[in-house]
Amino acid sequence: MDKLDRDPNVTESVRLLLDGAVDYAGLYPPASLAMSEAVINYAMYRNSNYSWMLGRFVVGVERLEEFYENAADFISRDGSSAWRVAVVAGDDPFETIRRIEDFNALHGPGVICDSIEMKTITSYQIETVSASLPPGVQAYFEIEPKSDFVELITATALVGQRAKIRTGGVTPSAFPSADAIVRFVLVCTAANVPFKATAGLHHPIRSFRPLTYEANSAKGTMHGFLNLFLMTGFARESFRKSFLEDVLEDEFEEVFQFDPAGVKWRNEFVLTLHQVSRLREYGIQSFGSCSFDEPISDLQSLGIL
């Protein structure tokens, strides 16, 4: 059931911005859950009031069959829609593609691997992997915003695939600067390459927090997923780079306002519903999070949900 049927108070701007936005990566740090627990969580989230925000289940190719063994009973009882799976490639992307094809043929249509994610260092990689993809499977090429990243995003555009950026981790050094993220988004926007983000986006608003769930965890400044999504929207509307960095670095909770007509930043700069829809369709597709409860809880505390 669509969450709008259950909660008429959710605004159209929130729904457009966050529909299917959270790819659940509970198997990965800092959560690092057992497969059984992660699968149970995902099944529960699919039947929650906030299922409309849930995207794919993220799993490494080496654990695909373990995933199905744990999920099969849930999948067989879940007739509402197929479980969608994002597969993180192993060292051999072509072997990963073969295993995706075999998995989909054996276990579909109740569950479908419809995307592959892989670290990328050359344009040739992008070209050859894209040429090998079966119908219905989209590639997200993880690209670091370093000196040669423009070439890699250009190659991604030429083959009609998507990019991926890592926005954090479990140590402060794993978090790229606002400048690097904005440059990545601007190049993707110029090349018309949709992208996803992963790691470190546990909270809506940029903030200084523990980076893991351990008692003695290192702390650092974590990027906010609302900051990132809305910065991407403003990038698509040709706002200047310094403005985009300000949006990404804003740490004040009250600066993002949602209403039936769109989203406001600092009560002055607006993204209309049409612009929000465009940023999701042509800009940021989703973000990976090891927790689904945490983003929901934070959005509720902000009065957004």
Side-chain angles (χ1 to χ4, degrees):
M1 182 182 294
D2 193 304
K3 198 257 179 183
L4 289 178
D5 293 333
R6 302 181 183 182
D7 184 359
N9 295 319
V10 66
T11 65
E12 181 71 1
S13 55
V14 173
R15 188 189 68 80
L16 285 175
L17 187 71
L18 297 177
D19 186 31
V22 187
D23 287 341
Y24 179 57
L27 298 174
Y28 292 86
S32 302
L33 299 179
M35 181 66 75
S36 58
E37 187 175 358
V39 166
I40 289 171
N41 284 350
Y42 189 75
M44 178 178 65
Y45 301 148
R46 281 178 57 87
N47 288 286
S48 72
N49 285 349
Y50 299 102
S51 60
W52 60 276
M53 286 179 54
L54 188 64
R56 298 174 175 89
F57 186 97
V58 183
V59 62
V61 64
E62 72 283 355
R63 302 186 71 181
L64 256 183
E65 287 306 320
E66 180 191 0
F67 159 74
Y68 187 75
E69 289 170 4
N70 282 270
D73 286 346
F74 295 106
I75 292 168
S76 66
R77 297 196 299 265
D78 193 346
S80 58
S81 61
W83 284 39
R84 298 166 62 216
V85 179
V87 179
V88 179
D91 293 336
D92 183 345
F94 303 102
E95 173 64 13
T96 297
I97 291 170
R98 184 192 66 77
R99 292 181 67 174
I100 287 173
E101 289 182 293
D102 290 348
F103 182 95
N104 287 344
L106 184 62
H107 301 305
V111 58
I112 185 76
C113 300
D114 64 356
S115 72
I116 176 175
E117 303 179 10
M118 59 173 289
K119 292 184 177 180
T120 309
I121 57 174
T122 68
S123 298
Y124 180 73
Q125 251 185 327
I126 292 170
E127 294 164 5
T128 54
V129 168
S130 298
S132 302
L133 290 173
V137 177
Q138 189 87 52
Y140 285 85
F141 295 108
E142 184 177 324
I143 298 170
E144 291 189 57
K146 293 184 175 180
S147 58
D148 61 344
F149 86 101
V150 174
E151 176 187 340
L152 297 178
I153 290 178
T154 302
T156 303
L158 291 173
V159 294
Q161 298 301 326
R162 298 174 179 182
K164 174 181 171 182
I165 183 172
R166 188 163 293 274
T167 47
V170 296
T171 62
S173 62
F175 288 77
S177 66
D179 171 76
I181 296 174
V182 168
R183 285 190 291 110
F184 177 91
V185 171
L186 286 172
V187 173
C188 285
T189 300
N192 285 318
V193 172
F195 68 94
K196 72 171 289 185
T198 191
L201 292 172
H202 305 165
H203 303 284
I205 308 296
R206 177 181 165 99
S207 54
F208 187 82
R209 294 178 181 264
L211 302 182
T212 73
Y213 303 123
E214 301 297 326
N216 60 347
S217 170
K219 296 182 178 181
T221 299
M222 306 176 79
H223 298 291
F225 62 82
L226 285 185
N227 299 75
L228 177 60
F229 274 54
L230 297 176
M231 180 273 285
T232 301
F234 286 120
R236 293 201 60 82
E237 304 308 319
S238 302
F239 280 73
R240 66 186 183 278
K241 182 173 178 288
S242 60
F243 175 94
L244 302 178
E245 291 176 0
D246 286 344
V247 175
L248 191 59
E249 293 180 330
D250 205 328
E251 298 183 9
F252 292 98
E253 297 176 352
E254 64 273 14
V255 298
F256 297 111
Q257 299 173 333
F258 293 82
D259 61 41
V263 188
K264 291 181 182 178
W265 179 60
R266 293 186 179 176
N267 205 33
E268 181 178 359
F269 303 99
V270 179
L271 291 173
T272 66
L273 293 181
H274 176 67
Q275 290 167 334
V276 172
S277 179
R278 277 167 43 89
L279 87 86
R280 289 302 312 282
E281 183 175 0
Y282 303 110
I284 187 163
Q285 304 291 288
S286 62
F287 69 96
S289 175
C290 69
S291 171
F292 188 66
D293 295 321
E294 211 165 18
I296 297 296
S297 176
D298 284 357
L299 290 168
Q300 288 173 328
S301 69
L302 292 171
I304 294 172
L305 292 178

